Amino acid sequence: MNEPVVELDGITKRFGDVVANDRVELTVDRGSVHVLLGENGAGKTTLMNVLYGLYEPNEGEIRIDGTPREFDSPRDAIDAGIGMIHQHFMLVDPMTVADNVVLGNEPRSRLGFTVDREAAREAVTDLTARYGFDVEPDAVVEDLSVGVQQRVEILKALYRGADILILDEPTAVLTPQEVEELFDIFDELTDQGKTIIFITHKLGEALGVADAITVLRDGETVGTVDTSTTSKRELAELMVGREVLLDVEKPPSSPGDVGLEVSDLTVTDDRGVDQVSSLDFQIREGEVFGIAGVDGNGQSELVEAITGLDVPDEGRVYFDGADVTTDSRRDRIEQGMAYIPEDRQHRGLVMDFELLQNGLLGSQHDPDFAPGGRIDWATLRQHVEDIIADYDVRPPNPDATAKSLSGGNQQKLVAGREFERDPRVVVASHPTRGLDVGSVEFVQEKLVELRNEGKAVLLVSSKLDEVQQLSDRLGVMYEGAFTDVVDPDDVTEEQLGLLMAGQDADGVTSVPAGDFEAEAEVGR
Amino acid sequence: MAVARSREVTTMNRKAIALVVVAGVALAGLVSVAFFPAGSIAAVVAVVDANYLGAALRLTVPIAFAALGGIFAEKSGVINIGLEGLLIIAAFVGIATTYTVGGGQAAVWIGFAAAVLASTLFALLFAVVTIEFKADQIIAGLAVWLIALGLGPFTARVIWGTVNSPSVPTLNDWTVPVLSEIPWVGPVLFDANPTVYMLLVAVPLSWYALNRTAFGYRVRASGENPRALDTAGVNVSLVRYKSVLISGVFSGIGGAGLALGQVGQFIGSGQTMVGGRGWIGITAYLFGNYNPIATFGASFLFAALDALQIRIQQIPGLDLPGSLVRIVPFVIVIVVLALIGKTRLPSAAGEHYDSDED
């Protein structure tokens, strides 16, 4: 068992002045699942891209089965038996599973021009039978669920003869059940002698599936630990370099009036298909309403209808009892709606703008910052410097461009800008997606703080632990509607997983989605 | 914005509406004929004979070849809107070479080869600019057209003193013995210009190449998700170069087919003799949803309208404006694209691919 198959020795990779990997050491044993754990920007993906031949290291040596190797391109790595499953799938959507699997290594017939589709289909069937997957070779990729698409990616690597599989954050897009299935596939693969390198920043997964865990921080190896002798707390500390609060402190909620109400809301897409169908719920001031669900079940459309980026086809949106369904973004901002968009790089920030200019976005009509239509740069600079200080944005330079910041710092700037407008309603869509543990902690604490100050908070997230910890009530969304609204403290991850897949979960107690009118009347 | 009503309009309904509208538009020009003097309807019907179909097929050649070339380029992710320019270059070089060599069918074939070569070189230039130097594909494509539009007539004036060339011989029709005796089909398919035969071979060949060969797989992958192709160890740029060069070769055959297969002269005034056939080729492959066979059908439809228009002009007493009939293909395409919306552009069409960026 303890036979090293991959050895990375003193790998250093620089991009200009930035050192992404600094003398990293990694030894992976044959037939094991080896987790590469670290925060975003710790250099995990860079290291694996070096191993896969996408980047050439500046220093260091790669040894496969004890033999030093140099990879100029993925082709070399593939030839050495390495396969990589990227975070963003490398699939051609309109083509079939079999066509995708053989792409680049097509079995040929007739003078070598024609693809032997029968052979391609057989190759897929053989592989699925051997490793116990369930994938239909003739299915078109775009019709498949994300979990199955991921299996197609694994098949691609296996078809190319990979013995060492690198998976880059493979669980980010999966339901808990799909994650379980993926881990079962890991077992099957390692039983048959394959080696798996699994990149993640999720501690629970690392502990659940790994034989050994190597932690990276700031491009350096912090250490390799044996799974059986470590804990979440120790791993978190290794990752961040200081003690981390894994659980957010949250006092009991004392909800007040209804702050945000969505009534019979229906949103259709361009093809006329319902993305949100007849959704009803209310959020009271001083509570966090969480929405859990697999991405693409209508969460984005719901958020767009609430924030005014899209007009719903049917139904109303109320804000403090006032109908805002057709109000513009500007109206909603001025009425006190803060919004953390799910895609901060496209909707939250202008990447080529400086932090200073980004801090103005949404407030460009505010007489404080733009009296008479001319921007008061001095006031703005003071405001942005305050945000940078209060929200610990690094580097603390208002003249840096947004794109020069890490994801976590970009998000802190967006959060600061939105929250400092003193909103009454906060809509946060995947606020901690892709953030490192430290930034996650910060953003989550801020959201709880806003709730404690009596704001109505809508939190949409596909991270179960996050919605479970932060929410006071939790709606589980599937195909545009709630399968159930539950008390987050009274539900297990397994039950949530079933609800997210649109199934019934036994033994779950539902809580009301809304109808707080009477109470609210009294409150007024 | 989706409205409640649109949910009731199913895809089937949409297609039905689109077909009705297309049929209506296609007939619009003809319907107006009914208001013309008696006997004109009979005269219009009379022009639709085997001769007419043969003429329509000949007119299909430049449109369909440009369209086939466009399919390869765009499927690989490079939108080549310079097809019109490639046709012009091919037409001019074909005529000029044949004129210079002089005399006989051999000269015409040499001109033909030169035309294809010239168009391919232009396509190579376009490929280098867009793939290597990552220029905007639309702007570079427009440049190809504008350069050809200026260069053709200008050089014609240098050689012949006028933008129009003298007449040169054209390619002789090939008659297949026996088969050409079949009524209707015979004269259309088996007594035709060599370029028509080339087209009839190129259409199924293109379909096969795109859908059944490894090269076709790579072309499609390159236009849909180039990174998938790159990580599979295939050179994306090389696939795109080959595809754009194919569009050059095909456009070359199309332009030469127009100049040396039919007209026998370079006409450089106005939009030149090509007269928008490259643009119609683009609409044809969009209408055909990148399927070579459907694209051939669309090209034939447009060519048939063009041929009809020419014939109707010749009917005495009928005064139907040709420019009106010539807009019909474009109207059809807009209606079809708007109502069916079925044409699916390759996801990465128009995007540069850089394997270094992450």
Side-chain angles (χ1 to χ4, degrees), chain A residues 4 7 40 45 190 198 209 236 279 287 329 391 409 446 477:
Chain A
E7 290 166 279
N40 287 294
T45 302
T190 47
F198 170 31
V209 73
L279 204 64
E287 74 170 348
R329 274 292 297 147
Y391 287 78
N409 285 302
K446 273 285 169 198
M477 217 167 160

Side-chain angles (χ1 to χ4, degrees), chain A residues 52 55 75 90-92 94 99 103-104 106 108 110 113-115 117 142 268-269 272 274 310-311 313-314, chain B residues 1-4 7 208 212-214 217-218 220-221 224-225 227-234 344 356 358:
Chain A
Y52 192 57
Y55 298 148
R75 181 56 83 177
M90 302 292 174
L91 297 172
V92 184
D99 290 351
L103 184 68
E106 303 88 351
R108 310 289 179 93
R110 288 188 221 159
F113 287 114
T114 306
V115 177
R117 308 183 90 205
E142 62 195 342
T268 62
D269 62 16
D274 280 5
D310 196 355
V311 179
D313 295 80
E314 278 164 35
Chain B
M1 184 53 47
V3 287
R7 257 180 287 165
Y208 190 83
R212 290 289 178 266
T213 67
Y217 274 42
R218 292 164 184 202
R220 286 186 288 147
E224 288 290 342
N225 187 351
R227 188 154 275 271
L229 196 61
D230 192 19
T231 50
V234 179
R344 175 181 167 157
D356 300 334
D358 205 21

Side-chain angles (χ1 to χ4, degrees), chain A residues 191-211:
Chain A
D191 283 352
Q192 301 200 27
K194 306 285 184 193
T195 306
I196 289 170
I197 303 176
F198 170 31
I199 305 179
T200 187
H201 60 233
K202 295 182 184 166
L203 303 170
E205 281 173 4
L207 284 168
V209 73
D211 296 306

